[in-house]
Amino acid sequence: MPIDQITLDILWARLIATTNDQAAALMRSSFTSIVRDAADLAAGVFDRRGRMIAQAVTGTPGHINSMATGMIHVLEKFPIDTLKPGDVIITNDPWFTASQLNDITITTPVFKNGRCIALFANCCHALDIGGRGLSADSRSVFEEGLQIPIMKLIDGGDRVEPIWTLIEKNVRTPREVLGDLHCQITGNEHGARQLLQFLDEFGLDDIEDLADEIVTRSEAAMRDRIRALPDGTYRYDLTVDGFDAPLTIKAAIIVAGDRLVVDYAGSPGPVPLGVNVTLNYTTAYTNYGVKCALAGDIPNNEGSFLPLTVTAPEGSLLNCTFPAAVGGRHLVGHFLPSAVMGALADALPDAVQAPGFDGLWDTHISGTDRDGRHFSYTWFSAGGAGAMAGKDGMSATAYPSGIAGVPAESIEALAPLVVRERSLRTDSGGPGQFRGGLGQVMEIEVLTDADYLFSGLYERTRHPAPGLHGGGAGQVGALRTNDESDLQPKISTMLSPNTITTLAMPGGGGYGPAHLRDPEHVLADVLDGYVSVESAARDYGVVIDEDSGRVDEAGTAALRAGMAGES
């Protein structure tokens, strides 16, 4: 039946509140800082047809959008009317969900009057999944850990004990991994209770009419935004480090009426090590980039995805086939929103963002502490985001993943680590009329008397984030140790106990010519320690009188005249 606008607004608000409570219950009960502090998760509600209707505001695009396009696989294995109250479904299949074995998806059906009316699902990064650990140096998915096909973890309320035992025996941190599985189940159950409560309040038997209205309106709004773009093909190439050779992502956006296709033909073929990306994950981050540029205010659900198509040649880097290694898939996948925005830079100059550090820096350290106890700990860190028209890039901010930085206090409380330094990295943001965001510097000491394993998943150590519309590139990242150990950005290394490691993270690209930046803004950057005096003169053409602490207007005018002539 038709739903009037006021009722729709109320029901929509309740749906969002329900998914937010679902995510909050999961985060507050989690056993790991990955979920509790970093929010490396996603949560959402799906209708009987497997369409995502609403999502929590907390979560990563790679998790939520992969669930959105992956729920169909769950329902193919377990058709909706075969599910029973008390069922819980689990999988970490990279080709059906979030493209990495560490990301485990839990799905729980919701019943009213004996009929399944909806599905709640969430996806979380498990602290460990066996295999090589968090690194990209595997040569197939078989080396990367335990693969869990789509199967029941709980069947009609009864635990499927062999699966729980299998997981427990194949991970290094069973307490945390199994604990978080319970928390994922609890989050879904909390969302289900909230949904049933508000359906009773409004006298509804299911969410099908509401889902149809949400999907239809979102699709229509998305088509209107696409229709406003001139028809044509928009292209952009973006280069990342890769392993032994750089990888260039080639994006072509084809706009035809109210349809938009993103085609990655011409991008690299598969690589022998673990940065390959499944099409599900490629689609997830591509859709996110399109939404950010075109329709950030349109709800993220099945309807807003319908006008979008993402293609990549089968077997290629961005549509890899089993059993390709995918453990570091975000070291390519996280760059896709920047490729999309680069392609749309001329069509939507005021709505796009310059590329940033993009590929989340993941660090995993394991060994034995000074009391002989084993430890295994992972945290995520962020460099600088790209700038856009009217806004400097955000510093030490995890765009596009949205993952939060874990406080140093949490890191030191959960592992025998000391964060000796955590600071913004001067001059790392790309110069521009609007400056790229700064990376950060982290100096880490491990409190151990034995060699320990250091694993990192790092990008942009050789190829910086480029600017847009005349903006400059950010600085590349760097790894160094106090004893000059040979650290590779994507390969595990054993380090001696007295090793202190420094992570210098990349900065984001600038937007617009640097000589157009307001000199007073450059001065403020210098005073804040974001830009050095030397960089102010070299990159921005701003001369600062260090005695008075003010801009030298005559010197600045002369420098900028030369810069304007060169540009």
Side-chain angles (χ1 to χ4, degrees):
M1 63 181 180
I3 301 176
D4 66 86
Q5 184 63 54
I6 294 176
T7 302
L8 178 63
D9 286 347
I10 294 171
L11 292 173
W12 172 250
R14 288 292 294 271
L15 264 185
I16 295 298
T18 296
T19 55
N20 284 341
D21 284 351
Q22 172 196 6
L26 166 55
M27 292 176 65
R28 290 170 182 167
S29 58
S30 173
F31 282 55
T32 67
S33 63
I34 292 174
V35 177
R36 184 176 60 247
D37 296 319
D40 192 9
L41 71 129
V45 61
F46 300 74
D47 69 5
R48 283 177 50 86
R49 287 160 278 184
R51 302 181 300 178
M52 188 177 76
I53 306 306
Q55 66 161 96
V57 297
T58 297
T60 78
H63 287 148
I64 193 65
N65 289 352
S66 291
M67 285 201 307
T69 55
M71 189 56 66
I72 185 173
H73 302 294
V74 174
L75 293 182
E76 283 177 355
K77 179 69 181 291
F78 297 105
I80 194 77
D81 288 323
T82 67
L83 295 171
K84 308 183 297 295
D87 282 349
V88 174
I89 299 166
I90 184 173
T91 187
N92 69 346
D93 190 315
W95 281 265
F96 293 159
T97 51
S99 192
Q100 185 192 66
L101 294 179
N102 284 80
D103 292 321
I104 298 177
T105 298
I106 296 290
T107 304
T108 306
V110 186
F111 291 82
K112 191 175 194 307
N113 300 324
R115 178 172 176 264
C116 182
I117 60 164
L119 301 156
F120 277 88
N122 61 63
C123 182
C124 292
H125 183 104
L127 179 59
D128 185 75
I129 200 66
R132 283 180 173 263
L134 195 65
S135 67
D137 50 356
S138 297
R139 293 190 175 272
S140 79
V141 72
F142 295 112
E143 298 179 42
E144 294 178 332
L146 178 66
Q147 298 179 59
I148 308 171
I150 299 172
M151 59 200 312
K152 288 187 180 180
L153 185 64
I154 299 179
D155 188 0
D158 297 324
R159 284 165 49 107
V160 183
E161 292 296 345
I163 299 175
W164 289 87
T165 302
L166 189 68
I167 296 172
E168 179 184 10
K169 296 300 183 183
N170 280 277
V171 299
R172 298 173 181 86
T173 54
R175 175 181 176 274
E176 290 82 358
V177 173
L178 297 184
D180 271 3
L181 289 181
H182 283 291
C183 298
Q184 289 183 255
I185 295 168
T186 297
N188 286 350
E189 290 174 344
H190 186 70
R193 286 193 295 270
Q194 297 275 68
L195 177 66
L196 293 173
Q197 180 180 348
F198 95 68
L199 289 181
D200 287 341
E201 288 179 24
F202 286 88
L204 299 174
D205 291 328
D206 55 38
I207 63 170
E208 295 305 297
D209 289 342
L210 175 59
D212 285 340
E213 194 72 20
I214 290 170
V215 168
T216 299
R217 289 180 180 231
S218 299
E219 180 183 0
M222 193 68 190
R223 291 190 184 278
D224 286 344
R225 297 293 173 85
I226 296 171
R227 199 179 291 113
L229 286 171
D231 284 359
T233 300
Y234 305 88
R235 300 182 184 276
Y236 188 72
D237 293 354
L238 185 67
T239 299
V240 298
D241 297 347
F243 275 93
D244 298 327
L247 301 170
T248 299
I249 299 165
K250 293 181 176 291
I253 297 180
I254 302 103
V255 177
D258 63 358
R259 296 281 311 171
L260 187 150
V261 177
V262 183
D263 182 16
Y264 291 106
S267 296
V271 296
L273 295 171
V275 296
N276 298 287
V277 190
T278 67
L279 185 60
N280 206 41
Y281 198 77
T282 293
T283 300
Y285 268 102
T286 300
N287 285 348
Y288 180 68
V290 172
K291 287 289 300 298
C292 286
L294 284 181
D297 57 330
I298 295 175
N300 197 54
N301 56 50
E302 176 75 13
S304 62
F305 299 146
L306 288 174
L308 309 177
T309 302
V310 179
T311 63
E314 186 174 2
S316 66
L317 176 70
L318 295 170
N319 183 7
C320 67
T321 52
F322 182 86
V326 293
R329 86 293 193 230
H330 63 283
L331 298 177
V332 172
H334 282 188
F335 291 89
L336 299 181
S338 284
V340 167
M341 295 224 183
L344 294 172
D346 290 332
L348 296 169
D350 293 333
V352 298
Q353 181 175 341
F357 91 105
D358 291 355
L360 197 68
W361 278 38
D362 301 351
T363 305
H364 175 80
I365 296 179
S366 62
T368 55
D369 64 19
R370 287 172 175 166
D371 293 324
R373 295 172 298 196
H374 175 75
F375 70 90
S376 180
Y377 187 71
T378 298
W379 77 93
F380 308 128
S381 309
M388 60 188 304
K391 294 182 180 179
D392 292 340
M394 295 177 289
S395 298
T397 299
Y399 175 86
S401 73
I403 291 174
V406 177
E409 293 82 358
S410 294
I411 295 173
E412 293 176 341
L414 295 170
L417 306 178
V418 175
V419 182
R420 294 164 57 103
E421 178 186 350
R422 195 172 201 173
S423 61
L424 292 178
R425 188 181 175 201
T426 301
D427 289 340
S428 58
Q433 182 178 7
F434 302 99
R435 172 182 48 74
L438 274 62
Q440 60 178 309
V441 176
M442 289 187 71
E443 186 177 272
I444 305 297
E445 180 181 6
V446 182
L447 302 181
T448 179
D449 295 323
D451 290 355
Y452 61 90
L453 180 70
F454 179 94
S455 298
L457 293 176
Y458 309 132
E459 250 293 341
R460 290 222 180 280
T461 60
R462 295 194 295 270
H463 292 80
L468 279 182
H469 293 298
Q475 285 190 11
V476 295
L479 306 171
R480 56 182 180 269
T481 65
N482 61 331
D483 60 359
E484 299 184 356
S485 298
D486 183 22
L487 287 182
Q488 299 297 318
K490 299 179 180 69
I491 296 176
S492 300
T493 307
M494 292 300 295
L495 297 179
S496 60
N498 59 350
T499 305
I500 297 172
T501 305
T502 300
L503 311 179
M505 294 168 217
Y511 186 101
H515 67 268
L516 297 182
R517 187 168 179 81
D518 186 331
E520 293 299 322
H521 288 171
V522 177
L523 175 61
D525 286 340
V526 171
L527 295 176
D528 288 335
Y530 301 159
V531 173
S532 66
V533 172
E534 294 77 16
S535 177
R538 180 186 67 245
D539 298 327
Y540 294 92
V542 175
V543 179
I544 296 173
D545 185 327
E546 296 190 55
D547 291 331
S548 66
R550 296 183 178 277
V551 174
D552 179 336
E553 295 183 4
T556 295
L559 264 181
R560 290 200 156 189
M563 294 176 73
E566 291 174 3
S567 63

